[in-house]
Amino acid sequence: MPKSDRAGELLRIYVAEEQTHRGVLLWEWLLQQASALGMQGGSAFRAIGSFGRHHFLQEARFFELAGSTGIEVEFIAGDEEIERLLALVRTEGIRVFYARMPAAFGIINPDSDDPLGVSADK
């Protein structure tokens, strides 16, 4: 890892497309909460196909299956930021599958609007 990269984690949370929490789609709730916690960014991605622990294949090919595929919600942030989000999910009693992986991240050619401590260029 280059000296100027920031160390942290990649967090992926997998949810059902139609899953809700407090009346909001769960993927959207997760993004809102991460933003409120001060994370710099997050993304949600719709799967074109997926299966879970019951090994039932869900595909986004047919109109009648709309809303039944998986959503991956992803964050790249510092360890403490990731832990705050996971603690909130635990406190809220939300049951989700997730994966955490070490990550090095930064910004190439940063500008004055980029957050301090994230730049890959010094």
Side-chain angles (χ1 to χ4, degrees), residues 17-97:
E17 189 174 359
E18 71 282 354
Q19 191 174 353
T20 61
H21 181 68
R22 298 184 182 262
V24 178
L25 289 169
L26 183 54
W27 65 264
E28 188 174 358
W29 184 88
L30 287 165
L31 292 174
Q32 290 169 347
Q33 298 308 307
S35 179
L37 288 171
M39 290 180 122
Q40 295 298 311
S43 299
F45 303 93
R46 178 178 286 124
I48 60 170
S50 63
F51 74 91
R53 62 190 170 111
H54 298 295
H55 300 278
F56 181 76
L57 183 60
Q58 303 279 355
E59 297 180 72
R61 292 185 188 184
F62 304 107
F63 180 74
E64 62 270 11
L65 292 178
S68 65
T69 60
I71 299 285
E72 175 190 304
V73 187
E74 182 173 284
F75 304 95
I76 301 173
D79 300 337
E80 293 169 7
E81 296 167 303
I82 297 290
E83 195 50 51
R84 280 196 306 269
L85 180 59
L86 290 175
L88 176 62
V89 171
R90 286 182 192 100
T91 300
E92 292 286 322
I94 302 168
R95 184 176 183 275
V96 293
F97 180 80

